[in-house]
Amino acid sequence: MARRRGSLALTVTALLAGTLAVGPSAAAEPTDYTIDVDTAGTGAKIDDTMYGVFYEDINRAADGGLYAELVQNRSFEYEPADNRNYTPLTSWDTKGAAKVVNDGGRLHERNRNYLSLAAGSSVTNSGYNTGVAVEKGKRYDFSVWARTERAGGAPLTLTLHDASGELAAARRVTARGGWSKYKASFTATRTSTAGRLTVVSGADAALDMISLFPRDTYKGRENGLRKDLAEKIAALEPGFLRFPGGCLVNTGSHEAYDEKSGWQRQRSYQWKDTIGPVEQRATNSNFWGYNQSYGLGYYEYFQFAEDTGAMPLPVVPALVTGCGQNKATDDPALLKRHIQDTLDLIEFANGPVSSEWGKKRARMGHPKPFGLTHLAVGNEENLPEEFFARFKEFRAAIEAKHPEITVISNSGPDDSGATFDKAWQLNRDANVAMVDEHYYNSPQWFLENNDRYDSYDRGGPKVFLGEYASQGNTFGNALSEAAFMTGLERNADVVKLASYAPLLANEDYVQWKPNMIWFDNDQSWGSANYETQKLFMRNVGDEVVPSKASGTPATSGPITGAVGLSTWATSAAYDDVSVTGADGKPLFSDDFSAGDGRWTKAAGKGRWTVEDGAYVQSDETAENTLVTAGDKGWQNYDLKVKATKKSGKEGFMVAFGVKDTGNHYWWNLGGWNNTQSAVEKTVDGAKQTVIQDTTKIETGRSYDLRVEVRGRQVTLYLDGKKWGSFTDDKPAEPFRQVVTRDKATGDLIVKVVNAQATQARTKVDLGRGAKVAPKARVTTLAADPAAENTKDKSPVKPVDSVFNGVDDSFSYTFPAHSVTFLRIKTD
């Protein structure tokens, strides 16, 4: 897909007022901000693939989501290995004699289960969410694999209905002999979101792969994609499609789905399981707690990337598990097999039809190569040395045979810390081409870190920001992400690829929030984040135009607040709490000999009691059990406390700078299942990590903790030794901008984020004598920061307008809480 980009140069000055801007102004006005742009200059080149989408089968993103199949558990493969509540008949109701069988009479060895249905018996499928969704006048294609030993065949009556009655005329097919596929089609006579599909057998029969597909899939593809979801993704004009994940890529066993492995159900995502006839594809237990059928597989991903004009970017397992499993598989033969599988994947994508895997691609309907250029190995491995040893073997094999492929490494699951630092060191030392970074942080973090990539080595590995989001789907979250994205574009010479994550979420099957696109069984809606991403993705530009902006005057003073104690899935005891001022004056002291009357159970969680002279939280299941004491106005103080882990998964937390349960710092020792420790900062309920290390906490041992707060500098001591320190003085700048140029149109694209409650009257100076058209096309996203798009309302949506007042110097008022793009024509 051809895509147009753009760039711009100007000077902007903005005034903060106390009310929402009513519109732009061309008059000369006083200003509070300035943006100086060198319109004659040229900054970083921006690749067409700068922004893309990250797809992972999480939140039912595939089955029950993008994959258009309407029948849930169509091949009766659900098992407790996928979810402890599953049975092979999950989502099915039976009448008469019906049972799921796993024996030599199966349809295919990789499709282990099938349904045995006695004469006069029936099965009914309830689909996803509230049921099978159909629309009046639309066609739906039914298919089933069946066999029967009855000489006259087994008549199968097919009905589509809901509680109010028939949704389409009943159909009938007759199964005869051994396994064969039978088809029929329905035309819906009513619209319903609560449909049920029933199959009644007139004779003993075996059934498998009972399927119902809308005829109207995306691009009309057979075994295709749900149209509304695919169209929303396509509307982003993604530069790349990263697939299939995510944590499901590299978690579980790396064995094959075969007799040797005992038909292992909890496996890493292995691409060969997912191609070929759908009835012969493997099934797998999804890391996120459900079953994945692989009906949506690698062929369909490549096809979708092509259909949307996106660069395909697959991710393969590196035999080191991540996402909390953190285990390295030491099996040279298995490693060799996975490396060969990766080479075969490249051949499947790019090989000629005369090659083994190119022939398989052609037989699936795509003789032309897919044009694979980038491939990632691994995902968020938390064992950097073990991962990198295996990554190097993948890279060497790929580069030896396919030097045209960019092999992408990663830096673990966080934006900083020991794992991140070690991974980056290994990547730099080995001159890796590109490193995949992932992080989910608070809006405050995104506002504070616009300059994150300003200091990255221009000669080192490039960055693929494969997963990022700001912990929410409000417009306030989207604003903070937009402010951060201006920094990504400014550093487009380092950050070559970026994708918000996750992409999709079925509202009734949620494992992760936030998400870009939400849906149920018949509707879908883009979040505030989606609208913001779409605005950036469709107005990227070809190059950055150098520009500078003035900042908002700093208003932050010293860290102030009370103190607190907390736990997370752990029982812990605290004693001898004291707070003294920097001058040594006592502010607070409690040895709990008089009870806990000086403490407020701020979070209202856990079981806090005084036991044996200590303050004990005894509920091992409770999370975030914060209790607080002291004065919110305290500053420049020392906090001391004794802490002991009694039992549970983690350690303990000591809080300082506490305003309330949503605004504080805490020293989290033995967090993340006792794998690391960190200071976390919480602003308006959203957390971000300030510093961290690998300290673990021993059960039953008493620790002396000391926190020294001086202005905005904090120093922490563990058992008398300095554990770490930080200065929290990065401004959360609410006014950010970047300017890019679209070479094809000559447009300068001025992108301004005003993430504050006051409007910003802005003077724009394009430089003396700049030749520009007087009219600019403007797209604005402006809403209350708490606004959130839902199924029923979309308060966050773009508004297009025309600004008639562009000159080499002009003024413009950016609304409060807004993202504004001005496209200015130049000669």
Side-chain angles (χ1 to χ4, degrees):
M1 175 186 297
R3 206 180 281 97
R4 292 181 175 179
R5 310 294 197 193
S7 274
L8 172 46
L10 64 104
T11 299
V12 177
T13 310
L15 170 65
L16 299 179
T19 58
L20 186 70
V22 297
S25 171
E29 296 172 334
T31 57
D32 288 328
Y33 295 101
T34 62
I35 303 175
D36 297 314
V37 181
D38 177 10
T39 55
T42 299
K45 304 297 181 185
I46 306 176
D47 296 340
D48 280 354
T49 51
M50 173 72 183
Y51 293 123
V53 291
F54 161 80
Y55 177 90
E56 178 174 9
D57 188 359
I58 185 174
N59 310 310
R60 285 285 185 186
D63 299 330
L66 186 60
Y67 187 47
E69 174 65 75
L70 297 172
V71 174
Q72 184 174 178
N73 190 19
R74 67 182 177 186
S75 60
F76 308 99
E77 295 294 330
Y78 279 26
E79 295 283 359
D82 310 323
N83 184 300
R84 64 183 180 181
N85 297 316
Y86 281 177
T87 74
L89 283 171
T90 293
S91 296
W92 293 96
D93 290 323
T94 64
K95 289 185 178 180
K99 64 178 181 178
V100 175
V101 182
N102 181 344
D103 64 14
R106 63 179 63 88
L107 173 60
H108 189 270
E109 68 170 358
R110 291 162 71 80
N111 191 342
R112 307 296 292 170
N113 293 344
Y114 65 94
L115 181 72
S116 175
L117 197 61
S121 300
S122 68
V123 288
T124 298
N125 192 265
S126 55
Y128 297 93
N129 301 90
T130 56
V132 175
V134 297
E135 184 179 346
K136 182 179 179 180
K138 293 291 183 71
R139 294 184 66 182
Y140 298 86
D141 294 325
F142 170 88
S143 66
V144 62
W145 282 81
R147 64 171 172 81
T148 181
E149 297 178 1
R150 183 173 182 267
L156 304 176
T157 302
L158 324 170
T159 58
L160 193 55
H161 54 92
D162 63 10
S164 298
E166 188 178 78
L167 290 170
R171 305 305 304 272
R172 178 170 165 165
V173 297
T174 300
R176 303 182 187 277
W179 286 111
S180 292
K181 187 176 184 179
Y182 301 90
K183 299 180 180 181
S185 69
F186 295 98
T187 298
T189 56
R190 288 191 294 114
T191 294
S192 176
T193 61
R196 300 291 187 268
L197 174 68
T198 295
V199 179
V200 181
S201 182
D204 292 354
L207 307 179
D208 205 350
M209 299 296 290
I210 301 176
S211 172
L212 187 68
F213 255 85
R215 178 71 59 86
D216 190 19
T217 60
Y218 182 64
K219 300 287 186 179
R221 306 242 178 244
E222 189 175 354
N223 193 51
L225 306 181
R226 180 172 149 174
K227 190 174 182 180
D228 63 322
L229 291 178
E231 287 180 341
K232 279 186 170 59
I233 298 169
L236 294 167
E237 298 183 5
F240 64 87
L241 170 65
R242 177 179 181 260
F243 61 90
C247 284
L248 60 82
V249 167
N250 64 335
T251 49
S253 165
H254 302 295
E255 301 291 341
Y257 189 57
D258 57 19
E259 187 173 7
K260 180 181 177 182
S261 73
W263 305 102
Q264 172 63 250
R265 287 293 290 265
Q266 296 177 329
R267 309 184 311 284
S268 59
Y269 198 107
Q270 299 174 43
W271 78 272
K272 289 181 180 178
D273 287 343
T274 76
I275 64 166
V278 291
E279 70 274 8
Q280 297 178 17
R281 298 183 188 182
T283 189
N284 202 6
S285 173
N286 185 298
F287 173 82
W288 297 107
Y290 52 91
N291 177 272
Q292 49 188 340
S293 72
Y294 289 148
L296 174 55
Y298 258 67
Y299 178 83
E300 289 77 22
Y301 289 128
F302 277 119
Q303 184 72 75
F304 185 43
E306 183 175 86
D307 284 344
T308 56
M311 176 183 78
L313 204 167
V315 186
V316 299
L319 273 69
V320 178
T321 53
C323 303
Q325 295 185 357
N326 302 338
K327 178 182 177 182
T329 298
D330 188 11
D331 185 335
L334 187 60
L335 177 62
K336 183 177 180 180
R337 193 266 286 178
H338 275 267
I339 291 173
Q340 185 58 52
D341 282 355
T342 303
L343 296 174
D344 293 342
L345 169 60
I346 297 170
E347 184 178 288
F348 177 77
N350 294 349
V353 295
S354 58
S355 66
E356 177 185 359
W357 293 97
K359 184 182 296 183
K360 292 180 185 293
R361 180 195 68 240
R363 286 176 177 170
M364 293 186 71
H366 202 284
K368 181 182 176 182
F370 283 116
L372 178 67
T373 59
H374 291 64
L375 183 146
V377 177
N379 175 76
E380 293 189 8
E381 283 75 17
N382 211 24
L383 301 173
E385 293 186 358
E386 292 87 340
F387 161 73
F388 204 75
R390 290 155 180 78
F391 171 83
K392 287 193 297 184
E393 295 195 45
F394 276 87
R395 184 175 71 157
I398 294 168
E399 290 182 346
K401 194 167 183 178
H402 298 284
E404 74 281 4
I405 299 294
T406 298
V407 185
I408 302 172
S409 180
N410 75 81
S411 59
D414 299 306
D415 62 271
S416 59
T419 295
F420 178 87
D421 292 341
K422 183 62 176 180
W424 259 104
Q425 176 193 328
L426 293 167
N427 286 311
R428 279 193 298 267
D429 291 347
N431 197 28
V432 167
M434 187 175 289
V435 177
D436 187 5
E437 292 189 355
H438 293 181
Y439 40 81
Y440 297 90
N441 281 309
S442 68
Q444 181 89 357
W445 184 94
F446 282 95
L447 291 175
E448 291 174 351
N449 284 275
N450 174 275
D451 63 349
R452 175 179 176 87
Y453 296 105
D454 289 359
S455 59
Y456 270 49
D457 180 6
R458 266 48 198 169
K462 303 304 181 185
V463 173
F464 170 22
L465 180 49
E467 297 185 33
Y468 72 97
S470 72
Q471 301 174 352
N473 277 144
T474 69
F475 187 53
N477 293 103
L479 280 171
S480 70
E481 292 155 2
F484 186 73
M485 291 169 77
T486 65
L488 299 183
E489 292 192 10
R490 187 176 64 251
N491 289 284
D493 56 330
V494 170
V495 183
K496 306 304 289 184
L497 307 169
S499 49
Y500 178 99
L503 178 63
L504 295 170
N506 185 317
E507 68 170 356
D508 290 334
Y509 307 90
V510 179
Q511 290 86 40
W512 184 276
K513 293 180 180 179
N515 301 282
M516 192 191 291
I517 300 170
W518 290 82
F519 61 93
D520 58 17
N521 58 347
D522 78 317
Q523 296 183 69
S524 58
W525 54 99
S527 64
N529 318 68
Y530 170 84
E531 295 297 345
T532 303
Q533 291 288 326
K534 183 167 67 172
L535 183 58
F536 273 86
M537 292 170 75
R538 295 176 63 151
N539 296 276
V540 183
D542 300 295
E543 64 185 18
V544 176
V545 177
S547 62
K548 293 181 181 180
S550 60
T552 306
T555 57
S556 62
I559 293 173
T560 60
V563 298
L565 310 170
S566 190
T567 60
W568 198 287
T570 302
S571 173
Y574 299 91
D575 203 356
D576 297 333
V577 180
S578 69
V579 181
T580 56
D583 58 1
K585 180 180 178 181
L587 299 175
F588 179 88
S589 180
D590 198 346
D591 63 3
F592 301 101
S593 59
D596 66 349
R598 303 176 69 185
W599 293 83
T600 299
K601 295 180 174 63
K605 299 177 183 178
R607 291 193 297 267
W608 287 95
T609 56
V610 176
E611 300 177 12
D612 300 324
Y615 202 21
V616 178
Q617 196 295 109
S618 56
D619 185 348
E620 287 186 33
T621 64
E623 299 178 347
N624 191 11
T625 63
L626 184 67
V627 294
T628 62
D631 189 335
K632 294 179 183 179
W634 279 347
Q635 57 183 268
N636 298 319
Y637 59 78
D638 294 354
L639 165 64
K640 296 180 181 179
V641 62
K642 288 185 180 295
T644 305
K645 173 182 176 179
K646 296 174 71 68
S647 61
K649 296 178 180 180
E650 305 205 348
F652 33 74
M653 299 163 171
V654 175
F656 54 97
V658 179
K659 299 295 187 185
D660 50 50
T661 55
N663 294 276
H664 55 74
Y665 300 79
W666 67 29
W667 188 7
N668 184 353
L669 285 155
W672 297 271
N673 291 321
N674 204 17
T675 61
Q676 57 184 303
S677 297
V679 173
E680 295 179 284
K681 172 183 174 180
T682 301
V683 178
D684 294 333
K687 290 188 295 186
Q688 67 191 68
T689 298
V690 181
I691 56 172
Q692 62 183 22
D693 77 352
T694 57
T695 299
K696 299 175 178 60
I697 295 301
E698 299 175 20
T699 301
R701 175 183 165 187
S702 178
Y703 293 84
D704 288 321
L705 313 181
R706 186 164 97 249
V707 181
E708 295 182 354
V709 181
R710 299 290 185 273
R712 299 203 66 80
Q713 182 173 340
V714 178
T715 308
L716 307 106
Y717 295 87
L718 181 63
D719 288 335
K721 296 182 180 180
K722 184 178 177 179
W723 177 87
S725 65
F726 66 91
T727 302
D728 185 20
D729 60 356
K730 294 190 74 171
E733 175 58 59
F735 187 82
R736 293 292 188 182
Q737 60 79 39
V738 69
V739 182
T740 64
R741 177 178 287 114
D742 184 332
K743 290 184 177 180
T745 65
D747 287 357
L748 297 174
I749 312 174
V750 183
K751 310 172 188 184
V752 177
V753 180
N754 183 28
Q756 57 191 332
T758 50
Q759 65 185 4
R761 290 186 300 171
T762 305
K763 178 185 176 183
V764 179
D765 186 355
L766 297 177
R768 186 180 297 274
K771 296 181 179 179
V772 293
K775 292 183 179 181
R777 287 185 292 132
V778 183
T779 303
T780 305
L781 291 170
D784 187 285
E788 191 166 354
N789 288 352
T790 67
K791 183 190 318 186
D792 302 316
K793 59 181 181 179
S794 298
V796 182
K797 55 187 176 183
V799 175
D800 294 325
S801 61
V802 174
F803 172 61
N804 190 5
V806 177
D807 205 338
D808 57 10
S809 180
F810 65 95
S811 294
Y812 191 93
T813 299
F814 294 99
H817 304 305
S818 67
V819 182
T820 306
F821 280 30
L822 295 91
R823 295 190 72 113
I824 301 172
K825 291 286 185 184
T826 64
D827 290 342

